[in-house]
């Protein structure tokens, strides 16, 4: 799973539409399934404390506990959300995330070209307290650069961040090596 990059089309959905009601049916199903996966046992509600896990599970790039608290306080005075409140939360948080990621992209697009080069992407990573190797960044760009320009446009940037989060910064080759070592010892010690 880690070796296969996330589907670019599904990754960009929440950055292209203004409201989750416009999401494809498959994405709405994923959001609904996350509600049922994380809701409190024996209850029809989800605990507000579990929303960070829900967002992480759904692959959100920007998970901000303070923003989660602000949104939920506007929705309810309780520490749980019913399904309708959860969907309103997801709508508000999706809008927040889109705005934040676009703002980061624009801030680091120093030349105003509408795309980020390797150096600008390294600066973005450093702003997230990640110190990537240039080869790792170049490898990630190669995976997401749909038009082979050597730069990354916004939708490719979203894809790159998702892959980077999913692989925790490891290149495809490093992940394969790690799996090989794991399986060598997992099989030997089993």
């Amino acid at each position: 799973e880690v070796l296969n990059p996330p589907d670019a089309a599904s990754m960009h959905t929440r950055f292209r539409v203004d409201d989750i009601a416009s999401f494809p049916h498959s994405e709405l199903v994923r959001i609904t399934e996350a509600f049922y996966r994380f809701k409190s046992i024996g209850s029809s509600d989800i605990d507000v404390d579990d929303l960070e896990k829900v967002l992480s599970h759904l692959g959100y790039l920007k998970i901000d506990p303070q923003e989660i608290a602000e949104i939920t306080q506007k929705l309810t005075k309780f520490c749980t959300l019913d399904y309708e409140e959860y969907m309103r939360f997801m709508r508000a948080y999706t809008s927040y995330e889109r705005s934040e990621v676009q703002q980061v992209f624009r801030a680091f697009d120093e030349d105003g070209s509408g795309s980020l080069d390797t150096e600008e992407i390294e600066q973005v990573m450093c702003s997230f307290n990640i110190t990537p190797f240039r080869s790792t960044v170049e490898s990630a760009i190669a995976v997401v650069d749909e038009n082979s320009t050597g730069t990354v446009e916004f939708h490719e940037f979203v894809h790159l961040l998702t892959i980077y989060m999913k692989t925790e910064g490891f290149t495809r080759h490093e992940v394969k090596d790690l799996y090989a070592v794991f399986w060598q010892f997992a099989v030997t010690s089993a």
Side-chain angles (χ1 to χ4, degrees):
E1 178 184 316
V2 173
L3 298 176
N4 298 321
D7 173 42
S10 64
M11 275 309 310
H12 306 136
T13 299
R14 68 177 179 265
F15 290 93
R16 285 193 309 246
V17 298
D18 292 328
D19 188 358
I20 66 170
S22 301
F23 279 7
H25 177 71
S26 59
E27 187 64 13
L28 291 173
V29 167
R30 283 185 65 238
I31 291 170
T32 299
E33 287 174 350
F35 175 82
Y36 288 105
R37 177 178 180 175
F38 289 95
K39 76 177 186 67
S40 303
I41 296 172
S43 171
S44 60
D45 297 342
I46 191 167
D47 195 306
V48 168
D49 292 338
D50 290 332
L51 292 174
E52 284 183 53
K53 290 184 234 169
V54 169
L55 294 170
S56 178
H57 172 75
L58 291 171
Y60 278 66
L61 304 171
K62 174 83 173 161
I63 300 175
D64 182 345
Q66 183 176 344
E67 186 65 21
I68 291 170
E70 288 176 20
I71 293 171
T72 56
Q73 287 170 3
K74 292 175 187 173
L75 293 172
T76 184
K77 60 183 176 184
F78 302 107
C79 63
T80 60
L81 301 176
D82 65 23
Y83 180 75
E84 293 304 319
E85 291 166 332
Y86 165 77
M87 291 304 281
R88 287 197 304 270
F89 167 81
M90 293 303 298
R91 183 175 296 119
Y93 199 87
T94 297
S95 176
Y96 163 77
E97 180 198 42
R98 180 176 43 251
S99 172
E100 289 294 306
V101 173
Q102 287 171 337
Q103 189 175 5
V104 167
F105 183 85
R106 277 190 237 108
F108 286 93
D109 181 15
E110 293 174 351
D111 59 5
S113 65
S115 62
L116 302 178
D117 59 26
T118 303
E119 196 170 294
E120 290 169 326
I121 290 173
E122 287 174 357
Q123 292 173 359
V124 170
M125 298 298 195
C126 289
S127 79
F128 291 132
N129 293 322
I130 301 168
T131 309
F133 291 113
R134 180 172 285 269
S135 62
T136 303
V137 173
E138 290 169 351
S139 175
I141 290 172
V143 171
V144 301
D145 186 13
E146 297 168 1
N147 52 4
S148 302
T149 59
T151 62
V152 174
E153 296 165 10
F154 180 72
H155 69 282
E156 295 167 332
F157 175 67
V158 169
H159 198 189
L160 180 137
L161 289 177
T162 304
I163 290 171
Y164 210 86
M165 283 178 47
K166 188 173 181 181
T167 63
E168 297 187 8
F170 290 103
T171 65
R172 182 180 293 255
H173 180 72
E174 291 168 332
V175 170
K176 284 181 181 178
D177 288 348
L178 289 169
Y179 270 113
V181 169
F182 172 78
W183 285 113
Q184 177 185 358
F185 289 102
V187 172
T188 304
S189 61

